[in-house]
Amino acid sequence: MIDISYVITVYNKAPYMEPMLNGLERQSGDFSREYIFVDDGSTDNSVEMIRERTKGWDNVRIITRENGGISVATNTGGFAASGEFIKIVDADDVLTSYASRRMLEMMREHKLDHLSAKWVLSDDVEAEALKQEDESGSVHIINDPLREFIKRGMAGSTSTMVRTSMFKEMGGADPEVFVQDVSIPLRVAGRGRMGSTDLLAVIGPRDVDGRMMGAHPTMVYTMSANMYHFLRDNPDVPTQLQRLAFKRCAGRAWKWAKREQKKSMFSKDFYLYLMAQLPIWYKTANWIKETLHTWDNEEIRHPPKRG
C-alpha cells in the first residue's frame, strides 16, 4: 500500500502553483507517495503547468472534471486515493519540507483518523517555507471530538491529514456545500479518533483571489450548513450536543444579522436565537435549517447544480 496520497485540487491557480509544487517535491522521508491532481474546470494554464512540472515524478495522476467546487473536487481525488492516508493540498499553499513525514509519524503513533497541524500566512510563501527547520511538534489527542467541534469549531485543508479508509467510509466532504474545510473534520468527529499538533506544516499566501476565511459569508454560512446536514443525517446525536449545536448556529446567525444586516430584536434571527436558549429541544436539525435563512440575500458560493 502507498503511504500517502496527495490530493491537490486546482482551479485557476497558475500564479500560485510553482511554490506549491516545489513544496511537494521537497517533502522529506522515505515513505511511498502518489500525487492526484484534480483540475476543477480551470480555464487558465494550470493543467499545462502540472504536466510540465511533474515530468519524471512517479505515481502522478491528473483528473480533469467539470467545475463543481472544492468539496466535490476533493471527493473526486479522495475516492481515487490508494494510500493509507490522504494529504489534502490546496494549490496555493506550500508545505514545510518535513510536514508529510512528521504528520505521518504522528498519525501512526497515535492511531489517528484525522490530524490538524499549524499554518501561517506570508507575503513570500516560498522563502518562509524554506526557513522552517523546527520539526519537533507535539500532539494533543482530542478526547471528545464531536463535542469539541460543536463548542469551538474545527477547520482546515492543507494543514490536515486524514486516514483514507475513514474518508471513504464517511463519504468524503459534504458535497452539498462549496468548501470542504469544515465538513471533513465534522464528519470524522462523529466517528473517528482526532488530534492536533503545534507542528508548522503549511505556509499560505496572505493575499490570494478567492480565499474564504473568517468573516466571509460563504464560510460563516458553511459552518451552520454543515451542522444542519450532519444532524439531519445523524439524528441519534446526543440531545445535549444537539441543543449546543442549535445555540451555536442561532448565535452565529443573530450575530451576523445584527452586525452585517443591521437587523433588530424584532427579526426572525433574534427569535431563533431566543428559541435556542430553551432546554426543551431533542432534535434540532430543522431549527438549524431555519437559521440558514439569515444568508438568503448574501453572496454564498454553492456547488453548481447539475441536470
Side-chain angles (χ1 to χ4, degrees):
M1 177 184 286
I2 289 172
D3 294 314
I4 294 179
S5 296
Y6 292 98
V7 173
I8 307 102
T9 57
V10 180
Y11 177 70
N12 290 347
K13 290 297 180 70
Y16 308 98
M17 284 178 44
E18 187 66 22
M20 179 274 292
L21 292 165
N22 290 342
L24 279 179
E25 195 169 35
R26 284 195 297 264
Q27 292 304 287
S28 62
D30 60 0
F31 59 88
S32 57
R33 56 198 86 181
E34 68 175 351
Y35 305 92
I36 304 172
F37 293 89
V38 182
D39 174 56
D40 193 33
S42 295
T43 57
D44 65 2
N45 65 330
S46 294
V47 174
E48 289 76 10
M49 287 185 66
I50 295 168
R51 289 199 178 103
E52 181 63 29
R53 186 65 175 75
T54 59
K55 285 180 180 178
W57 293 20
D58 294 329
N59 299 325
V60 175
R61 278 184 284 171
I62 302 173
I63 301 173
T64 58
R65 53 162 294 120
E66 188 178 0
N67 181 255
I70 309 170
S71 291
V72 176
T74 299
N75 287 348
T76 298
F79 296 150
S82 57
E84 183 181 3
F85 298 100
I86 291 172
K87 183 74 194 72
I88 296 171
V89 179
D90 287 343
D92 45 29
D93 290 333
V94 179
L95 294 171
T96 54
S97 61
Y98 49 78
S100 301
R101 172 174 51 81
R102 289 291 290 121
M103 292 181 75
L104 177 63
E105 292 168 354
M106 293 172 181
M107 292 285 285
R108 285 175 168 163
E109 179 182 354
H110 298 283
K111 298 179 172 60
L112 299 175
D113 296 304
H114 186 280
L115 178 64
S116 177
K118 180 181 175 182
W119 65 283
V120 297
L121 298 177
S122 173
D123 293 320
D124 189 337
V125 290
E126 180 85 348
E128 192 68 30
L130 288 169
K131 288 193 315 187
Q132 306 306 319
E133 297 180 351
D134 183 5
E135 53 182 80
S136 60
S138 58
V139 176
H140 166 68
I141 304 300
I142 303 172
N143 293 319
D144 190 346
L146 185 54
R147 178 179 295 276
E148 182 73 10
F149 183 99
I150 294 172
K151 284 181 67 175
R152 308 183 192 281
M154 297 180 197
S157 183
T158 311
S159 59
T160 65
M161 182 177 284
V162 61
R163 187 178 297 275
T164 305
S165 59
M166 173 62 67
F167 183 91
K168 294 181 178 180
E169 176 188 325
M170 70 188 192
D174 183 348
E176 296 180 68
V177 297
F178 186 81
V179 188
Q180 89 286 19
D181 294 44
V182 177
S183 69
I184 291 177
L186 173 56
R187 288 179 164 198
V188 177
R191 63 179 75 198
R193 181 171 169 81
M194 302 181 74
S196 62
T197 175
D198 55 359
L199 180 83
L200 179 57
V202 183
I203 314 296
R206 197 178 306 279
D207 297 311
V208 58
D209 294 338
R211 184 183 289 280
M212 285 175 279
M213 298 175 60
H216 193 292
T218 295
M219 279 306 301
V220 182
Y221 163 86
T222 294
M223 288 188 280
S224 291
N226 282 142
M227 185 55 65
Y228 159 55
H229 298 155
F230 181 80
L231 292 181
R232 177 198 65 194
D233 298 339
N234 298 274
D236 57 344
V237 167
T239 297
Q240 186 182 27
L241 294 185
Q242 296 228 17
R243 291 173 181 168
L244 179 59
F246 181 25
K247 283 185 179 181
R248 292 276 289 155
C249 293
R252 183 180 299 126
W254 167 235
K255 183 178 179 180
W256 184 273
K258 179 172 63 172
R259 185 186 67 216
E260 303 294 335
Q261 300 169 345
K262 311 304 179 188
K263 290 187 180 179
S264 73
M265 289 187 292
F266 296 101
S267 64
K268 180 180 179 180
D269 315 271
F270 186 68
Y271 166 75
L272 291 170
Y273 172 74
L274 290 179
M275 289 297 100
Q277 312 311 308
L278 301 177
I280 60 175
W281 315 115
Y282 291 91
K283 307 294 182 185
T284 64
N286 286 334
W287 281 103
I288 292 172
K289 182 181 180 181
E290 288 301 307
T291 71
L292 300 180
H293 291 298
T294 295
W295 292 275
D296 280 350
N297 295 318
E298 302 283 355
E299 293 187 12
I300 304 298
R301 299 186 72 179
H302 295 280
K305 292 182 179 180
R306 307 297 183 199

